[in-house]
């Protein structure tokens, strides 16, 4: 779940993937994503996740549940496919899901390694109403000047920024500047990997929009997320 920094409401979520192996049990991404990237299956996996997300949103619409945006990660390997954007839109339209409830996450590295092609892809998806997020901002080759070239909606600040947060004044100053610049650019800011009350307080003081991390929730199965969203909505009505 992604939580509102201001009041802790559930405002969205990120779709993650786990492999329930009949032999090995529950496998985390670090145990198989590298293999999928090496053999090219990562592109099929990404679209599997997108289809699962669309099916879930379709069920929520049918049950008249409150919808929240769901972000889906896509590998830069998709850029080798000229039909990448069209395939995303075809999947979403297949389930009649409002495009603005799907957020496409692409890593910072992909933006920099394929700039012209990435700009084209982002403009196509953004033009169709999807939200676009730069994932892992700050983990690679961040260029603040580059942000003005892309019609982005969301900046996800990498958890690496918070690893030395407690004992590094420079990390705090850098984060303050990044948060300020993102706000001035009109970007929604999501902080990843947040685990302490000190980090949450800092982000609240500097007007971060959403927080994702173990401080609020570990990754949840679909049913548990529904329950968390229901509680959040109920508490919001009480407020």
């Amino acid at each position: 779940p992604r939580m509102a920094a201001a009041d802790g409401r559930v405002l969205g979520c990120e779709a993650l993937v786990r492999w329930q192996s009949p032999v090995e049990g529950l496998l985390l991404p670090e145990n198989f994503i590298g293999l999928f990237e090496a053999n090219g299956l990562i592109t099929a996996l990404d679209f599997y996740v997108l289809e699962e997300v669309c099916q879930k949103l379709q069920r929520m619409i049918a049950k008249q549940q409150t919808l929240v945006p769901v972000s889906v990660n896509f590998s830069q390997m998709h850029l080798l496919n000229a039909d990448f954007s069209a395939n995303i839109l075809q999947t979403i339209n297949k389930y009649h899901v409002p495009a603005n409830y799907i957020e496409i996450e692409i890593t910072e590295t992909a933006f920099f390694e394929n700039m012209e092609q990435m700009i084209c892809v982002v403009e196509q998806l953004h033009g169709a109403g999807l939200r676009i997020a730069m994932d892992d901002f700050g983990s690679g080759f961040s260029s603040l000047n580059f942000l003005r070239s892309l019609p982005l909606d969301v900046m996800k600040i990498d958890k690496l920024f918070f690893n030395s947060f407690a004992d590094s004044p420079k990390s705090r100053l850098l984060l303050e500047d990044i948060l300020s610049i993102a706000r001035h650019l009109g970007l929604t800011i999501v902080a990843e990997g947040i685990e302490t009350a000190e980090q949450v307080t800092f982000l609240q003081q500097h007007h971060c929009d959403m927080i994702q991390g173990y401080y609020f929730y570990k990754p949840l199965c679909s049913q548990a997320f529904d329950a968390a969203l229901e509680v959040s909505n109920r508490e919001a009505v009480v407020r």
Side-chain angles (χ1 to χ4, degrees):
R2 288 182 179 176
M3 318 299 292
D7 58 17
R9 289 178 298 124
V10 177
L11 295 185
C13 64
E14 177 181 359
L16 304 177
V17 65
R18 302 290 185 267
W19 184 352
Q20 187 63 55
S21 166
V23 177
E24 302 292 339
L26 184 66
L27 298 176
L28 298 179
E30 55 263 33
N31 294 318
F32 60 86
I33 291 296
L35 174 63
F36 279 35
E37 289 174 335
N39 62 23
L41 287 175
I42 190 67
T43 55
L45 179 63
D46 290 345
F47 272 99
Y48 166 81
V49 174
L50 176 62
E51 189 129 1
E52 289 287 312
V53 166
C54 289
Q55 289 177 6
K56 177 169 180 60
L57 289 172
Q58 185 185 57
R59 291 194 298 270
M60 293 177 74
I61 292 170
K63 295 177 181 178
Q64 297 184 329
Q65 293 176 268
T66 300
L67 299 185
V68 293
V70 183
S71 67
V72 182
N73 291 276
F74 280 87
S75 165
Q76 66 190 69
M77 291 182 67
H78 289 282
L79 298 179
L80 301 174
N81 182 1
D83 296 326
F84 173 45
S85 300
N87 290 340
I88 288 179
L89 298 177
Q90 182 180 20
T91 302
I92 294 171
N93 293 334
K94 173 182 174 182
Y95 294 97
H96 307 288
V97 172
N100 60 308
Y101 283 98
I102 299 290
E103 180 178 298
I104 304 298
E105 287 193 26
I106 305 174
T107 63
E108 176 194 75
T109 304
F111 282 103
F112 284 88
E113 291 186 353
N114 308 274
M115 185 170 68
E116 291 185 5
Q117 188 175 3
M118 184 59 70
I119 290 174
C120 181
V121 168
V122 169
E123 288 179 343
Q124 289 172 353
L125 296 174
H126 199 258
L130 280 75
R131 292 165 55 85
I132 309 298
M134 179 185 286
D135 193 17
D136 299 334
F137 182 86
S139 64
F141 310 101
S142 302
S143 169
L144 296 177
N145 184 54
F146 183 66
L147 293 176
R148 65 188 176 92
S149 303
L150 288 163
L152 295 172
D153 300 288
V154 180
M155 176 196 289
K156 295 190 70 179
I157 300 178
D158 190 81
K159 62 182 180 180
L160 292 174
F161 274 106
F162 299 95
N163 288 349
S164 58
F165 181 86
D167 56 1
S168 175
K170 288 184 178 180
S171 292
R172 290 172 180 259
L173 289 172
L174 187 56
L175 275 169
E176 289 177 17
D177 287 342
I178 290 172
L179 290 165
S180 177
I181 290 169
R183 285 199 309 274
H184 282 94
L185 290 174
L187 298 174
T188 298
I189 310 165
V190 180
E192 297 184 280
I194 304 306
E195 298 184 355
T196 69
E198 181 185 13
Q199 293 169 347
V200 172
T201 299
F202 173 87
L203 292 166
Q204 289 172 334
Q205 291 172 343
H206 294 89
H207 310 291
C208 178
D209 298 296
M210 287 185 273
I211 295 173
Q212 187 177 328
Y214 280 22
Y215 181 80
F216 288 105
Y217 285 105
K218 293 182 178 181
L220 303 175
C221 69
S222 180
Q223 294 79 6
F225 175 79
D226 288 346
L229 181 59
E230 182 180 348
V231 170
S232 175
N233 293 334
R234 190 163 58 241
E235 291 178 348
V237 171
V238 173
R239 292 191 188 97

